[in-house]
Amino acid sequence: MNSRSTAFDELDQKIITALMANARTSFAEIGTAIGLSSTAVKRRVDRLRETGVITGFTATVKPSALGWRTEAYVEVYCEGAAPPRRLAEVVRDYPEITAAMTVTGGADALLHVRARDVEHFEEVLERIRQEPFIRKTISVMVLSHLLPESPEAGASQPAPE
């Protein structure tokens, strides 16, 4: 079942908002804040997980603590029409690519890349460019995060050896 077929009300929204702010908030704390018992909150969270509205719980970690000190966005331009499925297969082979999406505009895809340092980023970029269907890339290095609490400012995996 997907989230579109799920009944989703104001209490569900309040629960999700509380969990997004702090996934370690107890069901009792959430219940007190929104006027439900902890058991009722748990039932709703279980339903939200079963229906795919809540997809998981993660820790946000300072990327540099995990060895990621360099960050960039890479526009990827393909020869012809590279199918998204093929792009997805390629990007899964790179632990340094933390997000990837197809986009509108001139580029075919946008990659969020984290690396240990500039030299490591350059190695990753060269490997990406060697893919047979990639015509060119344009990279933009991240200097600082203007919204340091955003998910994009965090990391979810350690840097590769």
Side-chain angles (χ1 to χ4, degrees):
M1 185 181 288
N2 68 36
S3 59
R4 291 186 184 165
S5 64
T6 303
F8 190 81
D9 64 19
E10 185 178 340
L11 290 173
D12 291 334
Q13 183 63 49
K14 289 179 179 180
I15 291 168
I16 290 170
T17 299
L19 290 172
M20 287 175 65
N22 180 357
R24 295 186 60 147
T25 304
S26 72
F27 295 154
E29 290 172 303
I30 294 170
T32 299
I34 67 172
L36 289 177
S37 69
S38 60
T39 305
V41 172
K42 181 189 181 317
R43 278 195 305 268
R44 284 176 174 262
V45 169
D46 288 346
R47 178 178 45 80
L48 292 167
R49 290 185 71 197
E50 289 169 9
T51 58
V53 174
I54 295 175
T55 59
F57 299 90
T58 62
T60 302
V61 179
K62 185 177 176 182
S64 61
L66 298 174
W68 301 112
R69 299 199 188 308
T70 300
E71 178 179 12
Y73 286 88
V74 178
E75 292 181 353
V76 175
Y77 297 79
C78 299
E79 291 291 345
R85 190 174 329 178
R86 177 66 181 119
L87 285 166
E89 289 171 6
V90 169
V91 300
R92 282 190 189 101
D93 291 337
Y94 294 85
E96 298 89 352
I97 298 175
T98 61
M101 57 284 302
T102 56
V103 295
T104 62
D108 294 295
L110 182 65
L111 311 178
H112 184 200
V113 178
R114 291 194 186 267
R116 291 184 306 273
D117 50 34
V118 174
E119 291 80 13
H120 180 208
F121 172 73
E122 187 174 23
E123 291 169 16
V124 172
L125 190 58
E126 288 305 314
R127 288 193 333 251
I128 292 168
R129 287 177 176 162
Q130 289 175 6
E131 294 294 337
F133 59 87
I134 296 192
R135 181 172 46 90
K136 77 174 186 174
T137 62
I138 297 176
S139 304
V140 179
M141 300 294 288
V142 174
L143 300 177
S144 64
H145 283 270
L146 301 176
L147 300 172
E149 302 305 317
S150 70
E152 291 76 16
S156 60
Q157 59 185 345
E161 296 297 319

